[in-house]
Amino acid sequence: MHRVLLTGGPALPREACARVIEDSVLLTVQAQIPALTDALARLPAMKPDILLVDALALAASPQSTTLRSLRRAAGHTAVAVIGDPSAEEAGSLLRLGVTGILDPHMEAAPFVMALDLIGRGGVVISSRSDVTRICAAPNTPELDRLSTRERQILALVATQPDNGTLAQLLGISPLTVKSHVNRILRKLGASSRAHLVTIAYESGLVSPGLPRY
């Protein structure tokens, strides 16, 4: 059972999320801490499995301080943001190590499933304004050869039309993306980009039926 620490945003939506979490068998609420700065300060002692942050708290906090703190938090705790950030904002969050961007309009069951995947080390991006929708479950032996970053790249390869689009989302150069893709090809013994797409879906890294762009 994953312990979730909720922080930021209005009290009523946060309480609604907490009730959905407590009603599930996969998750439990460790605590609710209204202020993001307080939650980040207490994170090392509390050691939650998932830090669930309302995106409104990111806008209200001093950006540089918040980003540095989030980067540190993502090093030892799965961090998910609930909100509808722009594609540029979503890319910034991914670069910080955030592994969940959740649409606040999600139904309860997908919300619980998304947090469970995030708690197990997966990547979930579900945002109406973002260019990507991914549910990534990394617990597959075939993917054990890849780093967390390489799994993220592989999931994006399966949903993005080209390296240029992928590079724009992650804020890195197309050449860096190409290097990542070539390394993944070698590690997985894949023959082509199309082969990587097949591996991403067959391994469960990307859920079938999600839109590709």
Side-chain angles (χ1 to χ4, degrees), residues 150-189:
E150 288 167 344
R151 292 176 188 176
Q152 182 188 45
I153 297 288
L154 177 58
L156 290 170
V157 163
T159 59
Q160 299 304 308
D162 53 55
N163 287 351
T165 305
L166 201 160
Q168 184 177 14
L169 176 65
L170 293 176
I172 57 180
S173 71
L175 184 60
T176 301
V177 172
K178 184 177 180 180
S179 297
H180 279 300
V181 172
N182 287 339
R183 192 176 302 113
I184 294 168
L185 283 166
R186 290 195 300 271
K187 285 188 175 183
L188 297 182

Side-chain angles (χ1 to χ4, degrees), residues 120-143:
R120 291 189 285 114
V123 177
V124 177
I125 303 175
S126 178
S127 175
R128 289 184 299 171
S129 67
D130 200 3
V131 294
T132 311
R133 294 177 186 271
I134 301 170
C135 291
N139 298 326
T140 304
E142 185 175 22
L143 302 181

Side-chain angles (χ1 to χ4, degrees), residues 4-91:
V4 183
L5 173 60
L6 296 94
T7 185
L12 192 57
R14 189 173 62 249
E15 181 61 31
C17 289
R19 291 194 179 193
V20 171
I21 289 170
E22 284 295 352
D23 285 343
S24 78
V25 297
L26 301 172
L27 310 163
T28 186
V29 174
Q30 183 179 21
Q32 293 189 54
I33 301 177
L36 175 59
T37 52
D38 292 343
L40 291 171
R42 295 174 59 184
L43 200 66
M46 297 185 70
K47 294 185 170 69
D49 299 308
I50 303 169
L51 175 65
L52 181 59
V53 182
D54 191 301
L56 294 175
L58 299 178
S61 302
Q63 182 133 10
S64 59
T65 302
T66 300
L67 295 185
R68 285 197 300 270
S69 298
L70 275 181
R71 188 187 297 277
R72 287 195 298 270
H76 50 77
T77 299
V79 178
V81 173
I82 184 165
D84 193 25
S86 66
E88 182 180 354
E89 291 166 337

